[in-house]
Amino acid sequence: MKRLGILISGRGSNLEAIADHIARGTLDAEIAIVIASRAEARGLEAARDRGLPAISIPSKGLDREVYDRLLLDELRKHAVDLVCLAGFMRLLSASFIRQFPNRILNIHPSLLPAFSGLDAQHQALEHGVKITGCTVHFVDEELDAGPIVIQAAVPVEAGDTVESLSARILKEEHRIYSEAIRIVLSGRYRIEARRVILI
Ligand code: GRF
């Protein structure tokens, strides 16, 4: 069974969705460890309520390389095959990323490369796009930039607020993250330049 390491900073709803897929048998994997960058992350509690191993490694005040070394030690200790960033609000160092080549996924609440960075839903509303969505991509050394595994489109509706739009996108996030994990764990893909090609 492939082992997931899930990194969070906050609410943890994507983490919960992944755990639900595993529990329902629609994703064949196990969550080896949940690591939060903040002790007060709500997702930590949700993980523990489900009996998942979950710890916090507070990042505050730590140098990036030092922090990433702590993360790496923990992920190695739990023999993690695939690292899933799920609302993890930190940039990872190049040396960390090199330890998991094409073995780190991230989910972002826009159709990348549009609206990378913070507050993607707000950016989409401000820009006035009619369609936005979410993206699961491999993590490389640039922010929100690695090869795209899956995207889902979500309409922007008249009268949308950041909250209503975020909620509509989140439903799709919860679906496509597990789908992307399934693809990557199956190994039935190859990457050509930036394109993830399913085999
Ligand atoms: C999601 O919108 C995700 O796309 C973004 O951060 C949010 C995390 O939400 N990277 P949650 O912590 O999984 O509920």
Side-chain angles (χ1 to χ4, degrees):
M1 184 91 75
K2 295 285 188 184
R3 297 169 65 80
L4 308 179
I6 303 189
L7 308 190
I8 63 169
S9 297
R11 182 178 52 187
S13 72
N14 276 288
L15 152 70
E16 290 199 87
I18 293 166
D20 286 344
H21 278 279
I22 292 173
R24 270 190 251 125
T26 49
L27 175 61
D28 191 21
E30 78 186 275
I31 297 177
I33 186 73
V34 175
I35 305 174
S37 64
R38 294 205 303 245
E40 62 281 11
R42 261 166 53 200
L44 266 184
E45 232 174 280
R48 288 179 182 141
D49 286 347
R50 289 164 182 265
L52 298 172
I55 59 166
S56 72
I57 308 182
S59 56
K60 217 169 173 187
L62 290 186
D63 180 83
R64 189 176 312 284
E65 298 284 338
V66 173
Y67 185 74
D68 286 3
R69 168 54 56 186
L70 296 176
L71 273 185
L72 185 63
D73 288 349
E74 208 57 46
L75 293 167
R76 292 261 185 258
K77 195 166 102 193
H78 289 89
V80 162
D81 299 297
L82 180 66
V83 179
C84 301
L85 311 185
F88 185 66
M89 301 300 287
R90 282 185 62 85
L91 284 176
L92 294 166
S93 58
S95 55
F96 179 93
I97 291 166
R98 276 197 296 270
Q99 299 299 314
F100 292 96
N102 293 332
R103 279 289 173 273
I104 310 174
L105 292 176
N106 182 42
I107 185 147
H108 184 78
S110 74
L111 294 176
L112 289 171
F115 314 131
S116 62
L118 291 176
D119 301 324
Q121 302 92 335
H122 176 72
Q123 293 185 53
L125 284 176
E126 287 284 290
H127 198 88
V129 293
K130 305 297 187 191
I131 296 173
T132 180
C134 46
T135 303
V136 180
H137 64 93
F138 287 106
V139 172
D140 64 13
E141 290 166 27
E142 269 176 75
L143 178 67
D144 298 333
I148 291 169
V149 183
I150 303 196
Q151 295 183 301
V154 172
V156 179
E157 288 173 7
D160 256 341
T161 59
V162 169
E163 289 69 33
S164 62
L165 179 59
S166 300
R168 196 173 310 120
I169 295 172
L170 201 58
K171 265 182 91 171
E172 292 299 295
E173 293 187 34
H174 293 167
R175 183 176 66 78
I176 68 167
Y177 210 167
S178 289
E179 180 66 35
I181 293 169
R182 212 176 289 131
I183 290 169
V184 172
L185 292 183
S186 78
R188 290 199 291 272
Y189 68 94
R190 63 175 194 277
I191 303 178
E192 274 176 20
R194 293 194 40 86
R195 299 169 83 179
V196 177
I197 297 167
L198 303 189
I199 307 170

